[in-house]
Coordinates of all heavy atoms in Angstrom, one line a residue:
Chain B
V42 N 26.8 -20.9 9.6 CA 26.0 -22.1 9.6 C 26.1 -22.8 8.2 O 26.3 -24.0 8.2 CB 24.5 -21.8 9.9 CG1 23.6 -22.9 9.4 CG2 24.3 -21.7 11.4
P43 N 26.0 -22.0 7.1 CA 26.1 -22.7 5.8 C 27.5 -23.5 5.6 O 27.5 -24.6 5.1 CB 26.0 -21.6 4.7 CG 25.3 -20.5 5.5 CD 25.7 -20.6 6.9
V44 N 28.5 -22.8 6.1 CA 29.9 -23.4 6.0 C 29.9 -24.7 6.9 O 30.4 -25.7 6.5 CB 31.0 -22.4 6.4 CG1 32.3 -23.1 6.3 CG2 30.9 -21.2 5.5
D45 N 29.4 -24.5 8.1 CA 29.4 -25.7 9.0 C 28.6 -26.8 8.4 O 29.0 -28.0 8.5 CB 28.8 -25.3 10.4 CG 29.9 -24.8 11.3 OD1 31.0 -25.0 11.0 OD2 29.5 -24.1 12.3
L46 N 27.5 -26.4 7.8 CA 26.6 -27.4 7.2 C 27.3 -28.2 6.1 O 27.3 -29.4 6.0 CB 25.4 -26.7 6.6 CG 24.1 -27.5 6.6 CD1 23.6 -27.9 8.0 CD2 23.0 -26.7 5.9
A47 N 28.0 -27.4 5.3 CA 28.8 -28.0 4.2 C 29.8 -29.0 4.7 O 30.0 -30.1 4.2 CB 29.5 -26.9 3.4
Q48 N 30.5 -28.6 5.9 CA 31.5 -29.5 6.5 C 30.8 -30.7 7.0 O 31.4 -31.8 6.8 CB 32.2 -28.7 7.6 CG 33.4 -29.5 8.1 CD 34.1 -28.8 9.2 OE1 33.7 -27.7 9.6 NE2 35.3 -29.3 9.6
R49 N 29.7 -30.6 7.6 CA 28.9 -31.7 8.1 C 28.6 -32.7 7.0 O 28.8 -33.9 7.1 CB 27.6 -31.2 8.6 CG 27.2 -31.3 10.1 CD 27.5 -32.6 10.7 NE 28.3 -32.4 11.9 CZ 27.8 -32.4 13.1 NH1 26.6 -32.5 13.4 NH2 28.7 -32.3 14.1
V50 N 28.0 -32.2 5.9 CA 27.5 -33.0 4.8 C 28.6 -33.6 3.9 O 28.6 -34.8 3.7 CB 26.4 -32.3 4.0 CG1 25.9 -33.2 2.9 CG2 25.3 -31.8 5.0
F51 N 29.4 -32.7 3.4 CA 30.4 -33.1 2.4 C 31.8 -33.3 2.9 O 32.7 -33.6 2.2 CB 30.5 -32.1 1.3 CG 29.2 -31.8 0.6 CD1 28.5 -30.6 0.9 CD2 28.6 -32.8 -0.3 CE1 27.3 -30.4 0.3 CE2 27.4 -32.5 -0.8 CZ 26.7 -31.3 -0.6
G52 N 32.0 -33.1 4.2 CA 33.4 -33.2 4.8 C 34.1 -31.9 4.4 O 33.6 -30.9 3.9
R53 N 35.4 -32.0 4.7 CA 36.2 -30.7 4.6 C 36.3 -30.3 3.1 O 36.5 -29.1 2.8 CB 37.6 -30.9 5.1 CG 38.3 -29.6 5.5 CD 39.7 -29.8 5.8 NE 39.9 -30.5 7.1 CZ 41.1 -31.1 7.4 NH1 42.1 -31.0 6.6 NH2 41.2 -31.7 8.6
G54 N 36.1 -31.3 2.2 CA 36.2 -30.9 0.8 C 35.1 -30.0 0.3 O 35.3 -29.2 -0.7
G55 N 34.0 -30.0 1.0 CA 32.9 -29.1 0.6 C 33.0 -27.7 1.1 O 32.4 -26.7 0.6
V56 N 33.9 -27.5 2.1 CA 34.0 -26.2 2.8 C 34.5 -25.1 1.8 O 33.8 -24.0 1.8 CB 35.0 -26.2 4.0 CG1 35.3 -24.9 4.5 CG2 34.4 -27.1 5.1
P57 N 35.5 -25.3 1.0 CA 35.9 -24.1 0.1 C 34.8 -23.7 -0.8 O 34.7 -22.5 -1.1 CB 37.1 -24.7 -0.6 CG 37.1 -26.1 -0.4 CD 36.5 -26.4 0.9
Y58 N 34.0 -24.6 -1.3 CA 32.9 -24.2 -2.2 C 31.9 -23.4 -1.4 O 31.4 -22.4 -2.0 CB 32.3 -25.5 -2.8 CG 33.2 -26.3 -3.6 CD1 33.8 -27.4 -3.2 CD2 33.5 -25.8 -4.9 CE1 34.7 -28.1 -4.0 CE2 34.4 -26.5 -5.7 CZ 35.0 -27.7 -5.2 OH 35.9 -28.4 -6.0
A59 N 31.6 -23.8 -0.2 CA 30.7 -23.0 0.6 C 31.2 -21.6 0.9 O 30.5 -20.6 0.8 CB 30.4 -23.7 1.9
L60 N 32.6 -21.5 1.1 CA 33.2 -20.2 1.4 C 33.2 -19.3 0.1 O 33.0 -18.1 0.2 CB 34.6 -20.4 1.8 CG 34.8 -20.9 3.3 CD1 36.3 -21.3 3.5 CD2 34.4 -19.9 4.3
L61 N 33.3 -20.0 -1.0 CA 33.4 -19.2 -2.3 C 32.0 -18.7 -2.7 O 31.9 -17.8 -3.5 CB 34.1 -20.0 -3.4 CG 35.6 -19.9 -3.5 CD1 36.0 -20.9 -4.5 CD2 36.0 -18.5 -3.8
L62 N 31.0 -19.5 -2.3 CA 29.6 -19.3 -2.8 C 29.2 -17.8 -2.9 O 28.8 -17.4 -4.0 CB 28.6 -20.2 -2.1 CG 27.3 -20.3 -2.8 CD1 27.5 -21.0 -4.1 CD2 26.3 -21.0 -1.9
P63 N 29.1 -17.1 -1.8 CA 28.6 -15.8 -1.9 C 29.3 -14.9 -2.9 O 28.7 -14.2 -3.7 CB 28.7 -15.2 -0.4 CG 29.6 -16.1 0.3 CD 29.5 -17.4 -0.4
N64 N 30.6 -14.9 -2.8 CA 31.4 -14.1 -3.7 C 31.1 -14.5 -5.2 O 30.9 -13.6 -6.0 CB 32.9 -14.4 -3.5 CG 33.7 -13.1 -3.4 OD1 33.1 -12.0 -3.1 ND2 34.9 -13.2 -3.7
L65 N 31.1 -15.8 -5.5 CA 30.8 -16.2 -6.9 C 29.4 -15.9 -7.3 O 29.2 -15.6 -8.5 CB 31.1 -17.7 -7.0 CG 32.6 -18.1 -7.1 CD1 32.8 -19.5 -7.3 CD2 33.3 -17.3 -8.2
L66 N 28.5 -16.0 -6.4 CA 27.1 -15.6 -6.7 C 27.1 -14.2 -7.2 O 26.5 -13.8 -8.2 CB 26.1 -15.8 -5.5 CG 25.6 -17.2 -5.3 CD1 24.6 -17.2 -4.1 CD2 24.8 -17.6 -6.5
I67 N 27.7 -13.3 -6.4 CA 27.7 -11.9 -6.8 C 28.4 -11.6 -8.1 O 28.0 -10.9 -9.0 CB 28.2 -11.0 -5.6 CG1 27.2 -11.1 -4.4 CG2 28.3 -9.6 -6.0 CD1 27.5 -10.3 -3.3
F68 N 29.6 -12.2 -8.2 CA 30.4 -12.1 -9.4 C 29.6 -12.6 -10.6 O 29.5 -12.0 -11.6 CB 31.7 -12.9 -9.3 CG 32.8 -12.1 -8.8 CD1 33.7 -12.6 -7.8 CD2 33.1 -10.8 -9.2 CE1 34.7 -11.9 -7.3 CE2 34.1 -10.1 -8.7 CZ 34.9 -10.6 -7.7
G69 N 29.0 -13.8 -10.4 CA 28.2 -14.4 -11.5 C 27.1 -13.5 -11.9 O 26.9 -13.2 -13.1
F70 N 26.3 -13.1 -10.9 CA 25.0 -12.4 -11.3 C 25.3 -10.9 -11.7 O 24.6 -10.3 -12.5 CB 24.0 -12.4 -10.1 CG 23.2 -13.7 -10.1 CD1 23.3 -14.5 -9.0 CD2 22.4 -14.0 -11.2 CE1 22.6 -15.7 -9.0 CE2 21.7 -15.2 -11.1 CZ 21.8 -16.0 -10.1
F71 N 26.3 -10.3 -11.1 CA 26.5 -8.9 -11.3 C 27.7 -8.5 -12.1 O 28.0 -7.3 -12.2 CB 26.5 -8.1 -9.9 CG 25.2 -8.3 -9.2 CD1 25.1 -9.1 -8.1 CD2 24.0 -7.6 -9.6 CE1 23.9 -9.3 -7.4 CE2 22.9 -7.7 -8.9 CZ 22.8 -8.6 -7.9
T72 N 28.5 -9.5 -12.5 CA 29.6 -9.1 -13.4 C 29.6 -10.0 -14.7 O 29.6 -9.5 -15.8 CB 31.0 -9.3 -12.7 OG1 30.9 -8.5 -11.5 CG2 32.1 -8.8 -13.5
F73 N 29.6 -11.3 -14.5 CA 29.7 -12.2 -15.7 C 28.3 -12.2 -16.4 O 28.3 -12.1 -17.7 CB 30.1 -13.6 -15.3 CG 31.5 -13.6 -14.7 CD1 31.7 -14.0 -13.4 CD2 32.6 -13.3 -15.5 CE1 33.0 -14.0 -12.9 CE2 33.8 -13.3 -15.0 CZ 34.1 -13.6 -13.7
L74 N 27.2 -12.4 -15.7 CA 25.9 -12.4 -16.4 C 25.7 -11.1 -17.2 O 25.3 -11.1 -18.3 CB 24.8 -12.6 -15.4 CG 23.4 -12.6 -15.9 CD1 23.2 -13.8 -16.9 CD2 22.4 -12.7 -14.8
P75 N 25.9 -9.9 -16.6 CA 25.8 -8.7 -17.4 C 26.7 -8.6 -18.6 O 26.2 -8.1 -19.6 CB 26.2 -7.6 -16.4 CG 25.9 -8.1 -15.1 CD 26.2 -9.6 -15.2
M76 N 27.9 -9.2 -18.5 CA 28.7 -9.2 -19.7 C 28.1 -10.0 -20.8 O 28.1 -9.5 -22.0 CB 30.1 -9.9 -19.4 CG 31.0 -8.9 -18.7 SD 32.6 -9.6 -18.6 CE 33.0 -9.9 -20.3
L77 N 27.5 -11.2 -20.5 CA 26.9 -11.9 -21.6 C 25.6 -11.2 -22.0 O 25.3 -11.1 -23.2 CB 26.5 -13.3 -21.1 CG 27.8 -14.1 -20.7 CD1 27.4 -15.5 -20.1 CD2 28.7 -14.3 -21.9
L78 N 24.9 -10.7 -21.0 CA 23.6 -10.0 -21.3 C 23.8 -8.8 -22.2 O 22.9 -8.5 -23.0 CB 23.0 -9.6 -20.0 CG 21.5 -9.6 -19.9 CD1 20.9 -10.9 -20.2 CD2 21.1 -9.2 -18.5
N79 N 25.0 -8.2 -22.0 CA 25.3 -7.0 -22.9 C 25.1 -7.3 -24.3 O 24.6 -6.6 -25.1 CB 26.7 -6.6 -22.6 CG 26.8 -5.1 -22.2 OD1 25.8 -4.4 -22.3 ND2 28.0 -4.7 -21.9
I80 N 25.6 -8.5 -24.7 CA 25.5 -8.9 -26.1 C 24.1 -9.1 -26.5 O 23.7 -8.6 -27.6 CB 26.4 -10.2 -26.3 CG1 27.8 -9.9 -25.9 CG2 26.3 -10.7 -27.8 CD1 28.7 -11.2 -25.9
Y81 N 23.3 -9.7 -25.7 CA 21.9 -9.9 -26.0 C 21.2 -8.6 -26.1 O 20.5 -8.3 -27.1 CB 21.2 -10.8 -24.9 CG 19.7 -10.9 -25.1 CD1 19.2 -11.6 -26.2 CD2 18.9 -10.2 -24.2 CE1 17.8 -11.7 -26.3 CE2 17.5 -10.3 -24.4 CZ 17.0 -11.0 -25.5 OH 15.6 -11.1 -25.6
V82 N 21.4 -7.7 -25.1 CA 20.7 -6.4 -25.1 C 21.1 -5.6 -26.3 O 20.2 -4.9 -26.9 CB 21.0 -5.6 -23.8 CG1 20.4 -4.2 -23.8 CG2 20.5 -6.3 -22.6
S83 N 22.3 -5.7 -26.7 CA 22.7 -4.9 -27.9 C 22.1 -5.3 -29.2 O 22.1 -4.6 -30.2 CB 24.3 -5.0 -28.1 OG 24.6 -6.3 -28.5

Side-chain angles (χ1 to χ4, degrees):
Chain B
V42 161
V44 179
D45 271 347
L46 210 62
Q48 191 180 3
R49 245 314 125 99
V50 179
F51 303 106
R53 203 190 291 163
V56 173
Y58 297 103
L60 285 171
L61 272 176
L62 191 67
N64 226 26
L65 283 183
L66 275 182
I67 295 183
F68 272 133
F70 278 116
F71 297 104
T72 305
F73 294 115
L74 179 66
M76 277 188 62
L77 299 176
L78 212 55
N79 233 355
I80 300 171
Y81 173 73
V82 174
S83 71

